[in-house]
Amino acid sequence: MTAHRAPATGISRRGFLVSAVVAGGFAVGFASPLSGAATRAASAAGQSAASVNTWIRIGTDESITVLVGSSEMGQGVYTSLPQLVAEELMVDWARVRAEAAPADPLFANPGTGAQLTGGSMSVRGYYTALRTAGAAARDMLRQAAANKFGVALADCVAANGVVSVRGTANSASYGQLAGLAAALPVPANPALTPASEFRLIGKPLQRLDVPDKTRGAAVYGIDVRVPGMQHAAVVHCPSVLGTLASAGPKPAGASAIVALSNAVVVVAATTWDAMQAARQLRPSWNIPAAAGNLTSETISSQASQLMKSATPVVAESVGNAPAAITGAARTIDVTYQVPYLPHAAMEPLSCTASVSAGQCELWAPTQAPGFAAAAAAAVCGISADKVTVHTTLLGGGLGRKFETDFVVQAVQAAKAVGTPVKLTWPREQDFGHDQYRPMALMRIRAGLSTSKTITGWWDRIVSPSILFQRGWIPAGANDSQATDGATELAYGISNRLVEYVRHPAAIPVGFWRSVGNSLNCFAVESAIDELALAAGADPIAFRLGMLSADPRSAAVLRAVAKAANWTSPPAAGRARGVALTRSFGSIVAQIAEVSSPSAGKIKVERVWCAVDCGQVVNPDIVEAQMQGGIVHGLSAAMWGRTTFERGVATPVNFDDYKVTRMRDMPIIAVTILASSQPPGGVGEPGVPPIAPAVANAWARLTGTRKRSLPLQ
């Protein structure tokens, strides 16, 4: 998910606030005005009220707790972000714990200005801020030791959670010093550890979230239990444009039904009872005539017409692409198409809400706790600081749990019945009422010179607008979510024109892992391969010839070619294809090797991946994210699709929506390039290249080019 930048909060990355802890420890975080959510979090932790952003708690028991502003949905932020703090704090990793921060602007990601998890921004956004927080706490503990033992600060050395005095036997643990440190002024500019002296950053430290997950103690949204709670399921209008006319009678087994604008929530004693009762509902719906246009064939036909006749928005213009293409020795003119996609996260949508006079409490697997708090506050008619959000672990998010529709429904149900309610969407509702990855039609025209270099590049994209649907951009603006991956290409093409046409289809669309890059990388990297074929050039050599101004991308491409032994032919009956992406501050190249075990069937045998994501925090997490991105992207490339008939989505469950299973898994090898650049993202860049890499391999194997997804 690419994060839409929220308004800046004014929080200083270098300002800190330290407060006494009741138990004798202390907490350190970013200075800012006191807020309700932060005060409640501080009180729950047994400390005096303190206003903090992402911060550290040090207890007299020597525990180190890092509050994490990002949501943990399997990507490893409960490890990588505390790892940044622990590096500078000079503590034993075994003593570090992670805890979800409450919903509060104080915990906003400095890179986005909002407390949300998306755009592969967690490490990128918090990297300097969390290291600085750790360094400030370390120096305060050193100063406390200097005061305690009557020595100079320079004589006090912090290591493994202990401050020792050089040349003496004097030492004190962080827990012993915490009370003294709490009373000290905060260092304005604490020194950060040079990269050459890193102890923890760059190391494959064990993940902090895995032990609880392996022993079944981890709490996801669907695991939440609170006293007096009832359970609920939801039934939406089958068509995305429809509204509720009548909820019908309360079914047997239900304690209540709650009528909403386009759905009915069924409340019962257990989730099973609620889902069974929901199946017995007999609501009636108002389906507008406009739903007749929300059919896949109609939407596709509209896209083709818009491609021909609509006035586009210019997303990027360099040189004179039309003239360069007209004067080229040879041209290509190709069109690619990708479908709507559901998120299909393993954990369906769920939220537990409790509403009382002037207060609301949420337990939710949300990627945007601040947005969830605001949405709940609007339902309850209270201010957002009166909403407490407990962010649980997410069983996958992929951008879907950035939305707040499921949160709003849980709050509406709890408010209506007067007890806490845990709402769980049945899988069919999850698939059938998603905020889908947009479809797209992409036409690329390009010219080759007599020397077989690209003279001009024109790319027009027709796709619904995520940002326009949310009212975040005006009708005539470029939607970056639709054009990411098509603009600012790594390749040195002097004449480029990228245009965008907004498709008006009313299908709800939303952020999906890598968003526009997943659309455009398929088209761009397929077209580059088609140009290489037209030029009679090796696909990697052809790309390298355009990367002289981007040595990092060239190095990644060479690394993946070396790993795959590109210059040696694969086994008989197999072929390889390559693709490159520069996205989310990182560069990823992938080579896929495919075979065809039966007529028309594609089997991906192996995938090699090389990544330059700047400074690596935890290489195991980087490798896992590349692997996960490949698997996710492969599922979408091979089989992923949502179709519509009068606004009704299909499929609605995993029995008809294939994802990559063990029997489909290729062997994956990941190469991580060393880099001194600032950290890049790793959650999303592994997704975009796999579809074009497989399509390019298939074209080499069979001579047949697939220009539409899914491939299979």
Side-chain angles (χ1 to χ4, degrees), residues 506-532:
I507 302 296
V509 292
F511 304 103
W512 189 92
R513 193 176 184 182
S514 79
V515 206
N517 290 280
S518 70
L519 312 171
N520 293 305
C521 187
F522 172 64
V524 168
E525 287 298 297
S526 294
I528 292 291
D529 240 53
E530 296 203 51
L531 285 163

Side-chain angles (χ1 to χ4, degrees), residues 267-598:
V267 183
T270 69
T271 296
W272 175 255
D273 290 340
M275 289 186 177
Q276 291 302 104
R279 293 178 184 275
Q280 307 307 313
L281 269 178
R282 295 295 180 264
S284 56
W285 310 100
N286 295 315
I287 310 295
N293 293 323
L294 293 185
T295 295
S296 292
E297 289 184 3
T298 302
I299 293 168
S300 180
S301 176
Q302 289 173 336
S304 297
Q305 187 59 41
L306 289 167
M307 180 67 75
K308 296 175 185 176
S309 60
T311 301
V313 177
V314 175
E316 181 182 55
S317 181
V318 178
N320 190 334
I325 294 169
T326 300
R330 186 169 182 178
T331 62
I332 67 164
D333 188 341
V334 286
T335 300
Y336 304 91
Q337 188 163 14
V338 298
Y340 287 102
L341 284 176
H343 291 82
M346 290 296 102
E347 180 192 23
L349 297 175
S350 178
C351 178
T352 302
S354 178
V355 178
S356 58
Q359 300 285 335
C360 179
E361 195 163 8
L362 303 175
W363 294 261
T366 173
Q367 291 178 239
F371 288 11
V379 173
C380 297
I382 58 178
S383 58
D385 66 342
K386 301 299 183 183
V387 180
T388 301
V389 180
H390 307 279
T391 303
T392 67
L393 295 173
L394 284 64
L398 309 171
R400 179 61 177 99
K401 291 168 186 172
F402 166 87
E403 311 293 348
T404 60
D405 48 355
F406 63 106
V407 174
V408 167
Q409 290 176 347
V411 174
Q412 289 172 321
K415 184 179 178 184
V417 302
T419 69
V421 170
K422 181 169 77 172
L423 172 68
T424 304
W425 283 31
R427 184 68 70 184
E428 291 80 5
Q429 300 297 318
D430 202 13
F431 268 88
H433 298 276
D434 205 339
Q435 307 284 313
Y436 302 91
R437 198 282 307 269
M439 57 73 64
L441 189 69
M442 297 151 288
R443 181 184 176 193
I444 294 177
R445 297 179 61 228
L448 287 170
S449 68
T450 53
S451 60
K452 299 181 178 179
T453 60
I454 300 177
T455 59
W457 177 275
W458 173 82
D459 183 356
R460 179 175 290 179
I461 302 148
V462 178
S463 184
S465 171
I466 297 171
L467 302 186
F468 177 78
Q469 278 197 4
R470 284 159 170 72
W472 293 352
I473 61 171
N478 172 54
D479 184 344
S480 62
Q481 306 300 294
T483 58
D484 276 352
T487 58
E488 300 180 0
L489 299 181
Y491 305 117
I493 303 171
S494 354
N495 299 288
R496 306 188 306 277
L497 178 62
V498 180
E499 298 173 330
Y500 171 62
V501 176
R502 180 176 61 84
H503 196 302
I507 302 296
V509 292
F511 304 103
W512 189 92
R513 193 176 184 182
S514 79
V515 206
N517 290 280
S518 70
L519 312 171
N520 293 305
C521 187
F522 172 64
V524 168
E525 287 298 297
S526 294
I528 292 291
D529 240 53
E530 296 203 51
L531 285 163
L533 179 64
D538 173 83
I540 287 184
F542 187 72
R543 287 169 169 82
L544 286 172
M546 298 184 287
L547 292 175
S548 58
D550 189 347
R552 288 183 70 193
S553 293
V556 171
L557 197 55
R558 290 191 180 97
V560 79
K562 180 179 179 182
N565 200 12
W566 175 265
T567 55
S568 296
R574 297 187 181 189
R576 298 179 189 137
V578 65
L580 173 74
T581 183
R582 189 173 65 177
S583 57
F584 305 98
S586 294
I587 303 158
V588 177
Q590 292 169 9
I591 291 174
E593 183 173 288
V594 307
S595 67
S596 182
S598 60

Side-chain angles (χ1 to χ4, degrees), residues 77-89:
V77 292
Y78 275 17
T79 300
S80 56
L81 296 185
Q83 203 165 335
L84 299 173
V85 173
E87 175 66 67
E88 302 296 344
L89 192 55

